[in-house]
Amino acid sequence: MKNAEAIEKRRTFGIISHPDAGKTTLTEKLLLFGGAIQTAGAVKNNKIKKTATSDFMEIEKQRGISVATSVMAFEYAGKQVNILDTPGHKDFAEDTFRTLTAVDSVILVIDSANGVEDQTKKLMEVCRMRKTPVIIFINKMDREGKYTFDLLDELENTLDIKVRPLTWPIGMGDRFKGVYNIYQKGLNLFQANKTKISTDVVEISDINSPELDEIVGEHPANELREELEIVEGVYDAFNREAYLAGDVAPVFFGSAVNNFGVKELLDTFCEISPSPRGRETDLRFINPSDDKFSGFVFKIHANLDPKHRDRIAFLRIVSGKFERNTFYNHVRLDKKIKFPNPTSFMAQDKSVIDEAFPGDVIGLYDTGTFKIGDTLNEGENFMFKGIPSFSPEIFQELENLDPLKSKQLEKGIRQLMDEGVAQLFIQQPGNRKIVGTVGQLQFEVISYRLEHEYGANCRFIPKNYHKACWITSDNLEQLEQFKRSKSNSLAKDKDDNLVFLAETSFLLSMAEQDFPEITFHKTSEFKLERV
Ligand code: G4P
């Protein structure tokens, strides 16, 4: 296949949501539509149980299984749709943030009753930072939810993005009759059906036609007409360019569990979503159409078998064509490496592939040569940008319980950090290791893996930090002054960047006031950060 053809065909995206809004259900229904799975339930089994608070072995097991479904690909409407799975568990939010660097667009699932939730806001912040095009799917319309216009206002106000409904619900909960497709002028009538796909669409080109009253009843028909009038008055007409620029999010309504509204979503997605996009490097922008191969590692997954320390690195291809058994340049190590067994993750099974194109994600067996963020290319000396670290939320000091095993501990903790399990900050004096995570689970994962894979014993001592901020300043004098006065709260991250560990939000704002010429970055990706 020619590169241009392959690029045009691919649509690589992620589905994101606050836990329980319906991400897994929607993923599964999309796969059903795409023919990638035959029965409902196939994806669900791979889900990390949200109820598990400390049963992390179970979670590790589930994560292992989820490697197989990390990328789910299917063909639909002439497109190759690649869905990149993101973990639902909030303690793995960092994994999700990184996966978002490898997608070209996202579908955000919202529960119609709960509206915008905590996790939704955080995920959208990442999308906004990267200007990722977003489509919103408002789910669970078969249940009583928020008043539709209120919900849309809430989306605009809390997510800081304009919205544009492309379908419109007729009633909700018990009164839910279906959705009107504003974009294609069709009426899709709701039937509760968890296993079958309903594709019966009644074409209603004129919303004032009496046929509408006959089908849905006079009152709902009139309500729909009134609401559509408001929609046209309040929201700008859909503009694909604005969507692609990440400024406007088209909105769809449906009920994933009932297969309802999913087809409209998928059809429109295939029509409007972006084909693989290029990525910025520290040298220049790389276009997908560039002849030479390049890609970056956005996720590393440890092998579940502790006796084999090999891992799988997930590589997103940005440009050119990747070929099996061809030497490529590992830029950070300045080393040529070839891959005899690159795998695709399609359709539950891993299979060896010979070639892959921009937008594809492949798995590379790794014995410790990759770190998250690494670039592979054909020799030019550039590195992809944009795999930011965010401030962890929980900080604990790692204490070595067996001084004879300090080498093992050192090696183990470095490798786990390369996999992105947590962030490590080194504090002086004494090389103290502060481990930062977004969830408590990671600490269990780290101690367990250090013990079982590296034979090292450790314990964690909670630290009262509120946030880690990356520090930069052009005013060197002020920077020195800051370092002197805050020496107890400073640390270095894995790349030797200076980090301020603020104990409270009050102390952070005091520091910001006292040192106005210092910038306190909330992510490690300074250049992409929105101010
Ligand atoms: P998540 O991945 O975002 O965490 O959500 P998931 O798909 O697991 O959905 C969370 C719950 O919401 C599930 O119920 C699921 O069946 C339900 N759900 C999804 N879509 C709809 C919908 O359109 N309408 C209604 N009423 N419910 C929906 P559960 O009880 O947690 O699991 P299960 O016992 O149904 O499997």
Side-chain angles (χ1 to χ4, degrees), residues 20 22-25 44 47 50 139-140 142-143 255-256:
D20 259 353
K23 180 176 79 71
T24 315
T25 314
K44 194 94 184 172
K47 189 165 139 180
K50 286 159 294 205
N139 191 27
K140 306 198 186 179
D142 57 319
R143 288 215 186 137
S255 168

Side-chain angles (χ1 to χ4, degrees), residues 196-464:
K196 273 225 307 266
I197 297 168
S198 124
T199 46
D200 306 336
V201 176
V202 186
E203 250 187 65
I204 303 246
S205 48
D206 179 8
I207 192 78
N208 290 316
S209 131
E211 204 189 338
L212 183 68
D213 302 67
E214 276 163 39
I215 301 171
V216 300
E218 194 183 324
H219 181 66
N222 283 334
E223 206 172 56
L224 174 67
R225 290 181 186 116
E226 275 165 30
E227 289 180 345
L228 286 179
E229 211 176 301
I230 302 177
V231 168
E232 295 312 323
V234 171
Y235 300 102
D236 294 340
F238 174 66
N239 174 336
R240 182 167 181 236
E241 292 313 309
Y243 154 69
L244 292 178
D247 294 331
V248 172
V251 179
F252 291 80
F253 295 85
S255 168
V257 78
N258 288 299
N259 294 305
F260 192 78
V262 180
K263 185 173 184 299
E264 287 80 355
L265 175 71
L266 185 57
D267 285 344
T268 317
F269 170 82
C270 286
E271 203 181 311
I272 65 173
S273 67
S275 52
R277 302 175 132 192
R279 295 287 189 278
E280 197 61 66
T281 71
D282 53 2
L283 204 64
R284 63 189 170 87
F285 189 83
I286 304 295
N287 281 304
S289 54
D290 285 6
D291 284 347
K292 294 211 160 109
F293 156 76
S294 69
F296 64 91
V297 172
F298 64 94
K299 174 166 159 169
I300 293 178
H301 203 294
N303 194 319
L304 274 189
D305 182 351
K307 284 185 227 87
H308 299 277
R309 211 172 278 157
D310 56 336
R311 316 181 287 188
I312 296 175
F314 290 68
L315 183 95
R316 147 92 197 209
I317 292 160
V318 178
S319 66
K321 180 157 88 170
F322 172 93
E323 282 173 297
R324 188 157 81 98
N325 269 329
T326 304
F327 276 102
Y328 292 120
N329 182 34
H330 184 310
V331 179
R332 181 174 54 83
L333 300 180
D334 191 17
K335 203 170 137 185
K336 297 255 177 273
I337 309 182
K338 68 175 176 176
F339 303 92
N341 298 309
T343 54
S344 78
F345 298 97
M346 289 180 198
Q348 321 265 328
D349 303 315
K350 281 183 278 169
S351 50
V352 174
I353 47 130
D354 290 319
E355 53 180 32
F357 297 92
D360 286 342
V361 170
I362 56 172
L364 303 175
Y365 283 99
D366 170 37
T367 46
T369 36
F370 285 116
K371 276 189 191 185
I372 284 175
D374 276 345
T375 297
L376 274 187
N377 63 19
E378 289 195 26
E380 216 180 327
N381 192 18
F382 64 72
M383 298 265 250
F384 284 101
K385 285 183 186 174
I387 302 237
S389 299
F390 295 85
S391 174
E393 287 167 21
I394 306 175
F395 298 85
Q396 300 197 0
E397 183 172 344
L398 176 81
E399 193 186 44
N400 183 5
L401 291 179
D402 183 353
L404 293 176
K405 295 282 173 65
S406 51
K407 258 197 179 150
Q408 284 87 335
L409 182 106
E410 201 71 36
K411 181 169 180 197
I413 194 78
R414 295 270 164 207
Q415 292 206 346
L416 293 184
M417 297 305 127
D418 291 351
E419 279 177 38
V421 176
Q423 290 181 58
L424 182 66
F425 303 103
I426 303 289
Q427 244 187 345
Q428 299 302 348
N431 260 335
R432 294 196 311 277
K433 295 182 177 58
I434 311 288
V435 175
T437 67
V438 284
Q440 193 60 40
L441 266 172
Q442 268 86 348
F443 293 105
E444 291 174 45
V445 172
I446 294 168
S447 357
Y448 183 92
R449 290 190 53 194
L450 282 178
E451 188 184 335
H452 290 84
E453 293 172 34
Y454 300 89
N457 255 317
C458 71
R459 95 182 150 135
F460 284 103
I461 306 156
K463 287 278 172 191
N464 250 345

Side-chain angles (χ1 to χ4, degrees), residues 52-222:
T53 45
S54 61
D55 186 7
F56 99 87
M57 265 320 281
E58 182 57 22
I59 287 181
E60 279 294 282
K61 217 161 76 201
Q62 305 243 6
R63 288 185 85 197
I65 299 166
S66 74
V67 172
T69 54
S70 285
V71 185
M72 292 159 281
F74 60 86
E75 300 243 340
Y76 185 86
K79 302 282 185 272
Q80 179 178 322
V81 180
N82 295 330
I83 308 181
L84 269 53
D85 192 27
T86 56
H89 199 294
K90 75 165 182 31
D91 285 8
F92 292 104
E94 193 85 359
D95 275 9
T96 302
F97 296 154
R98 285 191 290 258
T99 300
L100 289 180
T101 63
V103 303
D104 299 303
S105 71
V106 304
I107 293 181
L108 168 65
V109 186
I110 299 273
D111 179 326
S112 66
N114 296 342
V116 174
E117 298 174 86
D118 268 6
Q119 200 65 5
T120 328
K121 284 190 211 153
K122 287 191 192 157
L123 292 164
M124 265 303 290
E125 244 168 67
V126 179
C127 293
R128 275 204 318 264
M129 232 170 78
R130 309 182 52 79
K131 295 244 158 236
T132 309
V134 178
I135 292 180
I136 298 176
F137 182 73
I138 299 188
N139 191 27
K140 306 198 186 179
M141 291 305 294
D142 57 319
R143 288 215 186 137
E144 214 53 51
K146 295 189 177 182
Y147 176 55
T148 311
F149 284 107
D150 288 349
L151 194 53
L152 295 177
D153 282 351
E154 183 180 327
L155 290 171
E156 288 201 329
N157 296 333
T158 51
L159 299 181
D160 196 13
I161 189 164
K162 283 187 167 180
V163 299
R164 164 71 219 197
L166 290 188
T167 66
W168 194 257
I170 308 172
M172 67 170 74
D174 291 342
R175 294 166 294 110
F176 185 49
K177 301 259 188 239
V179 290
Y180 182 72
N181 191 331
I182 303 176
Y183 199 50
Q184 283 158 347
K185 302 207 184 322
L187 181 68
N188 193 355
L189 294 173
F190 177 64
Q191 298 162 346
N193 194 333
K194 297 199 168 131
T195 49
K196 273 225 307 266
I197 297 168
S198 124
T199 46
D200 306 336
V201 176
V202 186
E203 250 187 65
I204 303 246
S205 48
D206 179 8
I207 192 78
N208 290 316
S209 131
E211 204 189 338
L212 183 68
D213 302 67
E214 276 163 39
I215 301 171
V216 300
E218 194 183 324
H219 181 66
N222 283 334

